[in-house]
Amino acid sequence: MTALRRIYFHLILLFLFSILITPDISFALKCINTKFLFDMKPGANQPSDLSIAPNGDIYLVDGVNNRIIVLGSDGRWKFDFGKEGTGSGWFKYPLGIDISNDGKVFIADSGNHRIQVFDLKGKYLYKFNVESESNAYGSDPVDIIASRLKDYLYVADNENHNIKVYNRKGDLQFKWGKFGEEYSEFRYPGIMTANEYNEIFVVDVLNTRVQKFEPFGKFIASIGSWGVLQGNFFRPKGVTLDKYNRVFVSDGYMGVIQAFTDMGTFLGVVCKKNKKRVFDYPVGIHIDKNNRLYVVEMKGNKITVLKIVD
């Protein structure tokens, strides 16, 4: 890094720090208030994502330790599964997870360039490789959605900057996206979620936005833009929807979670008593049917559970 670039980088950090410590009232903060319920600290090392099973159990991706941790809805430890390696049921830095309505656990086994499938007890079922357009680096599946539509599996390929769609057998059905900044293009797609209409929301990390698509890849809307103020992202990481179809997006660097309409109108920042909540590098997030918000705090090595009250 040149001296000029280093000075520029430090100036950005100082500006961000000043934003974080500035009282919220100076921005006429729009809040979505939440109530703290409890923390879960299961001994993970930089966890990345979570999903909730039909019975309420919480499945946490503990990628550095190459395993999945399973907790009860109250945070009580149940069991874990997986270890480092390339064999069936083993992992190499897994990142994303989703659980289908029929109780299959789908893991984006990023370092092994594949998707692995388990039952709810952690029993290995099968796997399939995620194909790559790049012979040099291979694929980098970082998240997966198990859709109700035709049992499609949507895979975010971070290395090839696209979304690949497979059937449950692991056969590629179609794909969309390429490297770029236009709509339907990506710069490192990450965590995804889907709504009741099977529309897909993709965190487009370096383009600092979330893109919304129809189930077959047609672009619908862009949510957010680069910046450090309300309605902006510096490094978006996770995305989830609540029962009102509000889109919640975590920002790892800024440590906040913001909400938007599903067409991109900013609604508010996740707050506590009208003051923004700051998390320790929030990544994967999830809202359950009881309107509880689960936040994976990567640097805090925990899951924070909140009740959305607004």
Side-chain angles (χ1 to χ4, degrees):
M1 183 181 292
T2 66
L4 183 59
R5 290 181 64 190
R6 188 158 45 244
I7 291 171
Y8 178 68
F9 180 70
H10 288 160
L11 287 173
I12 289 177
L13 289 180
L14 287 172
F15 175 66
L16 291 177
F17 182 72
S18 69
I19 292 291
L20 287 172
I21 65 174
T22 300
D24 293 329
I25 56 173
S26 63
F27 294 105
L29 192 71
K30 289 185 177 181
C31 275
I32 294 178
N33 281 300
T34 57
K35 178 182 178 182
F36 174 79
L37 296 179
F38 55 92
D39 282 335
M40 304 179 189
K41 299 180 179 180
N45 186 357
Q46 300 180 56
S48 56
D49 197 12
L50 61 79
S51 190
I52 298 181
N55 66 356
D57 284 349
I58 300 159
Y59 288 65
L60 177 68
V61 180
D62 184 15
V64 173
N65 289 320
N66 296 290
R67 64 178 178 171
I68 307 300
I69 296 172
V70 182
L71 308 168
S73 58
D74 57 357
R76 177 175 51 87
W77 174 280
K78 285 197 165 183
F79 63 94
D80 64 9
F81 60 92
K83 64 178 181 179
E84 182 178 5
T86 60
S88 297
W90 298 359
F91 300 113
K92 186 176 181 181
Y93 304 122
L95 286 170
I97 183 172
D98 197 21
I99 300 176
S100 61
N101 290 339
D102 62 350
K104 299 296 189 299
V105 182
F106 295 85
I107 308 296
D109 187 9
S110 181
N112 283 323
H113 319 293
R114 65 190 183 187
I115 301 299
Q116 295 205 73
V117 188
F118 301 80
D119 68 15
L120 291 174
K121 295 182 179 180
K123 178 183 177 182
Y124 168 79
L125 299 177
Y126 66 96
K127 63 180 181 288
F128 62 87
N129 292 328
V130 176
E131 71 170 36
S132 174
E133 292 77 15
S134 169
N135 293 325
Y137 299 104
S139 65
D140 184 16
V142 295
D143 198 24
I144 182 167
I145 293 175
S147 175
R148 298 183 301 273
L149 177 65
K150 298 186 177 183
D151 284 336
Y152 280 154
L153 301 175
Y154 293 80
V155 178
D157 185 345
N158 191 260
E159 180 61 42
N160 291 288
H161 311 283
N162 60 22
I163 307 300
K164 295 181 168 75
V165 184
Y166 292 83
N167 62 22
R168 290 285 189 98
K169 296 179 181 179
D171 301 320
L172 182 67
Q173 303 299 293
F174 59 94
K175 59 187 175 181
W176 76 87
K178 63 179 181 178
F179 183 82
E181 300 178 15
E182 301 299 322
Y183 296 148
S184 299
E185 297 178 346
F186 302 100
R187 289 197 298 161
Y188 302 100
I191 290 177
M192 304 179 293
T193 195
N195 64 16
E196 60 183 319
Y197 308 108
N198 302 305
E199 295 167 334
I200 307 299
F201 297 77
V202 183
V203 176
D204 186 7
V205 178
L206 285 192
N207 283 328
T208 58
R209 64 189 178 188
V210 172
Q211 294 196 67
K212 177 184 177 182
F213 300 93
E214 290 183 350
F216 296 96
K218 182 180 178 181
F219 173 81
I220 298 176
S222 181
I223 300 170
S225 59
W226 187 89
V228 295
L229 302 179
Q230 295 179 81
N232 297 147
F233 303 130
F234 192 77
R235 190 68 83 240
K237 289 294 182 179
V239 61
T240 190
L241 290 92
D242 71 0
K243 60 184 179 181
Y244 304 112
N245 221 29
R246 296 183 295 186
V247 182
F248 288 71
V249 184
S250 63
D251 190 318
Y253 282 9
M254 298 302 291
V256 299
I257 297 172
Q258 301 183 81
F260 302 79
T261 69
D262 66 343
M263 293 302 291
T265 300
F266 172 70
L267 296 175
V269 180
V270 167
C271 291
K272 173 186 178 182
K273 296 181 178 179
N274 294 315
K275 292 185 178 181
K276 70 183 175 189
R277 287 186 179 271
V278 178
F279 302 89
D280 197 358
Y281 209 94
V283 283
I285 53 179
H286 182 89
I287 297 175
D288 69 12
K289 60 184 178 181
N290 297 314
N291 224 28
R292 298 200 300 184
L293 171 62
Y294 299 76
V295 183
V296 179
E297 297 191 55
M298 178 175 279
K299 291 186 178 179
N301 294 319
K302 65 180 181 179
I303 302 170
T304 296
V305 186
L306 309 169
K307 178 73 172 181
I308 299 173
V309 296
D310 283 353

